[in-house]
Amino acid sequence: MNKDRVLSGMQASGKLHLGNLVGALQNWVKLQDKYDCYYFVADWHGLTTGYADLSSIKESTKDLLINFLGAGLDPERCTIFLQSRVLEHAELHLLLSMITPLGWLERVPTYKEKQEELKDRDLSTYGFLGYPLLQSADILIYRAKYVPVGIDQVPHLEISREIARRFNYLYKEIFPEPEALLTEFPKVIGVDGRKMSKSYDNAIYLSDSPGEVEEKLKTMVTDPARIKRTDKGNPDLSPVYQLHKIFSSKDEQEEVAEGCRTAGIGCIDCKKILIKNVFKVMEPIWVKSNELINNPNVLYSIVDKGTEKAKKVAGETMRLVREAMGLY
Ligand code: TRP
């Protein structure tokens, strides 16, 4: 029984929060049984914007792996590995660079956008321009059929398809054109009411302790017009209610919405229900993460095994590529 192959990665640039969990990781977990899944930490991609300060890259990489496993990726059911340990990605990246017109890379919208966004860094580097090409190599080397990503990654998928077509046309039909598996998910709101994001300092991290999560949710903003306990509120204006919509049952959502509108319950009561439900999602993550933090060798052996498996597939592809290009 041959399952279609799925591949996805995350850049090592910091720890993950509930937005990443709901938006990406939970979907990766779901895909584990239906597909032959390969998931990796893109630590080389982390270098493209972070090269000037690498003091935390090692830690970030480890945190990300712990988050992967904590969220429920199961090394028995999927392959988990580290990009920088599968050197074949670099070889394919180099070979593809020979056939990639500069204009294709310069036209990828994220190129200029990211440079604008990170004005404090010098991103006029060769490596940064090549970001989408390295990503293409990541995908094509597994001849993956599907790539689960958020909408922001669509331009990178587009260029990986163009490169696959160009290679297939110039040398030999080796690469299937990968398709994005777009993840539809509700926007997760941060504790200040804006989109949850590392850069807004409003996130609940998968590595936060129960005490930290409780404190963050307890002090989270609610309907700003509901000042006194007896004031009636509007749940649609409350960021807390937005989180209920993701983490609470339908019955609980109705209960807190009604309680808010009628001042039947206070904001503290409403938050207590949310805290209970967020804890339910995070408890298995805490348990698994602690296990791995206390036994780092278990973590490393999982990654070693995954890397071996990834290298096998990547190696097969590279044999085909070298042959197609007339290299020894
Ligand atoms: N660019 C992706 C991100 O920012 C990370 C990534 C690198 C990736 N290589 C990939 C995603 C290959 C999917 C497939 O998160």
Side-chain angles (χ1 to χ4, degrees), residues 3-18:
K3 292 181 187 166
D4 285 329
R5 198 171 290 146
V6 158
L7 171 115
S8 199
M10 270 188 215
Q11 192 174 318
S13 55
K15 45 196 185 172
L16 300 186
H17 52 62
L18 286 180

Side-chain angles (χ1 to χ4, degrees), residues 72-292:
L73 290 187
D74 175 359
E76 299 296 320
R77 287 144 71 211
C78 69
T79 305
I80 300 165
F81 67 98
L82 197 53
Q83 181 189 38
S84 65
R85 297 268 304 279
V86 186
L87 304 183
E88 288 83 352
H89 290 223
E91 184 183 357
L92 184 58
H93 175 236
L94 175 100
L95 295 177
L96 295 177
S97 77
M98 307 301 168
I99 65 167
T100 305
L102 273 181
W104 288 13
L105 294 170
E106 287 161 347
R107 260 190 281 121
V108 175
T110 47
Y111 178 58
K112 292 222 167 67
E113 282 163 21
K114 262 267 163 0
Q115 282 188 329
E116 277 301 304
E117 191 187 314
L118 302 172
K119 271 221 156 84
D120 55 325
R121 308 185 196 180
D122 181 0
L123 297 183
S124 50
T125 56
Y126 182 45
F128 183 67
L129 179 66
Y131 185 112
L133 187 63
L134 180 57
Q135 182 161 351
S136 303
D138 295 338
I139 298 167
L140 297 180
I141 205 160
Y142 298 99
R143 285 166 284 158
K145 178 145 191 209
Y146 299 114
V147 184
V149 284
I151 188 108
D152 61 308
Q153 294 294 312
V154 166
H156 295 163
L157 255 290
E158 197 62 54
I159 192 169
S160 71
R161 274 202 299 276
E162 281 181 297
I163 288 163
R165 273 200 292 275
R166 188 158 164 88
F167 184 99
N168 290 344
Y169 163 77
L170 284 172
Y171 309 117
K172 193 174 174 197
E173 284 275 337
I174 290 181
F175 296 118
E177 291 181 29
E179 280 170 53
L181 270 188
L182 282 185
T183 356
E184 286 286 337
F185 66 95
K187 192 165 84 183
V188 180
I189 296 291
V191 292
D192 62 355
R194 292 185 290 175
K195 177 181 176 233
M196 188 176 284
S197 160
K198 234 178 5 203
S199 37
Y200 293 154
D201 196 23
N202 65 359
I204 294 174
Y205 294 100
L206 303 190
S207 57
D208 283 348
S209 68
E212 286 169 319
V213 175
E214 183 169 6
E215 189 55 31
K216 283 181 181 178
L217 290 174
K218 264 189 179 159
T219 52
M220 181 165 179
V221 287
T222 54
D223 174 1
R226 191 175 179 199
I227 297 160
K228 296 196 300 290
R229 166 72 179 78
T230 48
D231 293 340
K232 290 178 179 161
N234 179 352
D236 295 321
L237 300 179
S238 166
V240 172
Y241 184 61
Q242 300 306 310
L243 288 188
H244 271 296
K245 284 194 193 159
I246 295 171
F247 295 102
S248 301
S249 70
K250 277 267 173 290
D251 284 352
E252 285 168 321
Q253 288 174 38
E254 268 167 39
E255 179 192 332
V256 296
E258 179 64 14
C260 181
R261 273 187 215 106
T262 58
I265 63 167
C267 295
I268 305 279
D269 307 308
C270 170
K271 286 174 171 176
K272 272 192 186 143
I273 298 175
L274 179 63
I275 290 168
K276 177 195 76 177
N277 291 327
V278 170
F279 270 38
K280 230 188 267 167
V281 171
M282 294 195 72
E283 251 145 24
I285 299 179
W286 286 322
V287 170
K288 189 80 211 169
S289 305
N290 280 329
E291 238 174 76
L292 294 168

Side-chain angles (χ1 to χ4, degrees), residues 9-30:
M10 270 188 215
Q11 192 174 318
S13 55
K15 45 196 185 172
L16 300 186
H17 52 62
L18 286 180
N20 306 120
L21 177 73
V22 173
L25 275 184
Q26 284 183 341
N27 186 46
W28 288 13
V29 170
K30 252 193 265 154

